[in-house]
Amino acid sequence: MGIYFHIPFCKKACHYCDFHFSTVLKNRDEMVESLIRELAYRANEWKGQSVKTIYFGGGTPSLLQEKHWNDLANAIHQFLHLSERVEFTVEVNPDDVSEDALSVLKSIGVNRLSVGVQSMDDEVLKWMNRAHSAEQAVSAIRLAQENGWDNINVDFIYGHRQYTSGNTHEDLKQLLTLQPQHVSAYALTVEQKTALDFQVKKKQYTPPAQEAVVEDFFTVHDVLIQAGMDHYELSNYALSGKASQHNSRYWSGDPYLGIGPSAHSFDGIQTRSWNLSNNQSYIRHFLHKEMEGITTAEVLSNRDRANEYWMTGLRTAQGVHLQKFSSDFDQPITIRQWQALRKWEATDHLHIGEHSITCTLKGWMVLDAILVDLFFEE
Ligand code: SF4
């Protein structure tokens, strides 16, 4: 199993972000205590399973302090059974990285960093309302490398160049001078109720046309492939052996336990659950026992699971295994679906092999439309 901890704090709100976080940092002690209580409570459900991946995301986990990390690490060892070689990732923002912070993370067993760089262009970083500069990103990653970290992801955002200065090719080339082992590259999307959404409504920002975003996607793909990375999932690239084991669990339907406000869990069979996205309610529930019902669960039908498999499987370079639809979900592929598959194959959007189906690059660009055709109907 994998375990995810959501650390719901950020220094400031990036304009595009709709994740759950608060910029009020004063509750960190109470939040960490609550996370530990949730872990203690829920670890029972997962007894007997060994933890293969640990991931701290957010929010900004690097806003936690040494005592928080030590308490969390102690709790992880107390309540969970860890397998021998755990992939242990922590998301950090460049402005939080220091020699001391890195050594604390190393001391508790963290062996992978995911650094929120997003761009190497200060004008873009400012426009995104990021809390750091490009120079801080360089210093953070260099410092980590000097201290022996050799499994580093950097996040990169593209698809805004019609509005901002510079170009994706140059930006990404700059990023690669940092020699990361992994790059997560996302097209900028306008999420509801974000600052970017308001800018769009006030006509201060016009998202680029889809063709321009697609062009950017191909640029990103070409640059990263030339750098020797595998494009192993729609938004993820890695050097050999450095693909994210934790995130791969989400795409292959493996079980994971999510701890913290807004965190999701999946039992690997059919039950998915998620916590309320509210820091105060979460703390009141776990620390003060003042609030009930902060977790919602749903049982997925075979049809739901088969549709999720289309959704997650086609994002990966491995694609979906044809046999799985009958063997795991009791949903053999229908004639209608086969017709759709052949249609998308004929236009070079899908590749249909003997045992599996994968998206081509072109297909990844219209994945939503492909999925509409492939979903099992009621
Ligand atoms: S630091 Fe990350 S989680 Fe926080 S607002 Fe920015 S993008 Fe969102």
Side-chain angles (χ1 to χ4, degrees):
M1 66 176 278
I3 181 156
Y4 172 81
F5 288 86
H6 190 81
I7 307 300
F9 301 106
C10 291
K11 271 184 201 160
K12 56 200 265 201
C14 302
H15 283 166
Y16 54 85
C17 181
D18 73 339
F19 292 160
H20 170 64
F21 66 90
S22 164
T23 50
V24 180
L25 306 184
K26 66 175 196 279
N27 298 325
R28 276 177 292 181
D29 291 353
E30 284 187 304
M31 177 56 71
V32 168
E33 187 55 37
S34 304
L35 294 172
I36 291 170
R37 294 214 183 171
E38 184 185 7
L39 178 63
Y41 174 69
R42 298 194 60 196
N44 270 332
E45 299 164 27
W46 299 75
K47 244 189 189 143
Q49 298 211 42
S50 75
V51 175
K52 296 194 171 70
T53 62
I54 303 172
Y55 193 105
F56 277 80
T60 311
S62 51
L63 287 175
L64 294 185
Q65 295 158 329
E66 182 171 3
K67 63 180 167 124
H68 300 135
W69 287 117
N70 288 334
D71 290 350
L72 285 161
N74 288 338
I76 287 171
H77 285 282
Q78 184 182 348
F79 300 118
L80 299 170
H81 171 70
L82 305 190
S83 65
E84 241 170 65
R85 298 180 63 178
V86 180
E87 180 193 80
F88 189 164
T89 307
V90 171
E91 290 180 356
V92 299
N93 273 348
D95 43 316
D96 297 325
V97 174
S98 65
E99 197 130 9
D100 287 349
L102 289 170
S103 103
V104 170
L105 294 180
K106 195 155 251 184
S107 73
I108 62 161
V110 179
N111 50 29
R112 184 172 183 271
L113 294 176
S114 180
V115 190
V117 177
Q118 319 303 355
S119 172
M120 295 294 281
D121 180 334
D122 279 332
E123 195 187 317
V124 172
L125 291 170
K126 210 166 152 206
W127 176 70
M128 290 176 172
N129 204 35
R130 297 288 303 173
H132 61 89
S133 64
E135 197 182 322
Q136 281 174 305
V138 175
S139 309
I141 291 170
R142 293 275 176 259
L143 187 66
Q145 287 164 335
E146 281 158 22
N147 283 278
W149 295 81
D150 61 1
N151 198 359
I152 299 177
N153 168 61
V154 291
D155 287 340
F156 179 74
I157 297 181
Y158 61 90
H160 48 79
R161 295 296 167 175
Q162 275 55 41
Y163 182 80
T164 55
S165 67
N167 67 65
T168 301
H169 189 271
E170 279 313 304
D171 201 0
L172 193 52
K173 280 282 195 192
Q174 279 298 315
L175 191 87
L176 285 178
T177 61
L178 303 175
Q179 298 180 297
Q181 284 73 31
H182 189 288
V183 176
S184 294
Y186 301 99
L188 183 69
T189 48
V190 179
E191 304 295 347
Q192 281 190 359
K193 296 189 181 156
T194 59
L196 197 60
D197 186 30
F198 286 114
Q199 287 178 22
V200 171
K201 287 185 175 130
K202 285 201 256 162
K203 303 209 182 318
Q204 292 168 345
Y205 170 64
T206 308
Q210 180 63 11
E211 299 81 59
V213 178
V214 170
E215 201 179 302
D216 252 13
F217 170 81
F218 283 116
T219 301
V220 169
H221 172 85
D222 290 346
V223 171
L224 293 175
I225 293 297
Q226 274 168 27
M229 292 194 164
D230 293 329
H231 192 173
Y232 72 100
E233 194 267 349
L234 177 55
S235 308
N236 287 283
Y237 301 78
L239 294 179
S240 174
K242 298 293 187 183
S244 163
Q245 291 170 37
H246 183 82
N247 289 339
S248 297
R249 308 189 76 78
Y250 300 137
W251 307 314
S252 34
D254 292 337
Y256 52 88
L257 168 61
I259 300 289
S262 83
H264 283 58
S265 304
F266 179 55
D267 68 356
I269 308 165
Q270 57 176 17
T271 306
R272 176 190 315 294
S273 63
W274 57 93
N275 289 341
L276 200 72
S277 301
N278 183 303
N279 288 5
Q280 282 313 318
S281 301
Y282 182 83
I283 289 170
R284 279 170 60 202
H285 177 80
F286 282 106
L287 212 54
H288 307 302
K289 299 190 174 68
E290 285 174 3
M291 183 145 169
E292 290 188 12
I294 62 139
T295 306
T296 311
E298 72 174 339
V299 176
L300 303 175
S301 65
N302 277 342
R303 187 180 54 86
D304 295 337
R305 291 169 63 216
N307 285 340
E308 289 214 353
Y309 185 52
W310 279 125
M311 250 191 301
T312 52
L314 285 179
R315 290 182 63 98
T316 67
Q318 288 180 331
V320 294
H321 293 281
L322 286 164
Q323 197 209 340
K324 221 169 137 101
F325 288 100
S326 317
S327 62
D328 290 24
F329 314 122
D330 196 20
Q331 301 280 310
I333 296 177
T334 63
I335 292 171
R336 173 190 64 79
Q337 287 168 315
W338 272 114
Q339 286 168 342
L341 287 168
R342 294 293 175 205
K343 178 187 85 180
W344 288 107
E345 183 191 35
T347 50
D348 196 27
H349 289 88
L350 288 180
H351 173 72
I352 304 178
E354 199 181 334
H355 302 295
S356 62
I357 300 172
T358 50
C359 261
T360 61
L361 271 191
K362 205 172 135 188
W364 266 339
M365 289 296 84
V366 289
L367 183 55
D368 287 348
I370 295 176
L371 289 171
V372 168
D373 274 358
L374 296 184
F375 280 157
F376 290 90
E377 291 167 343
E378 301 238 17

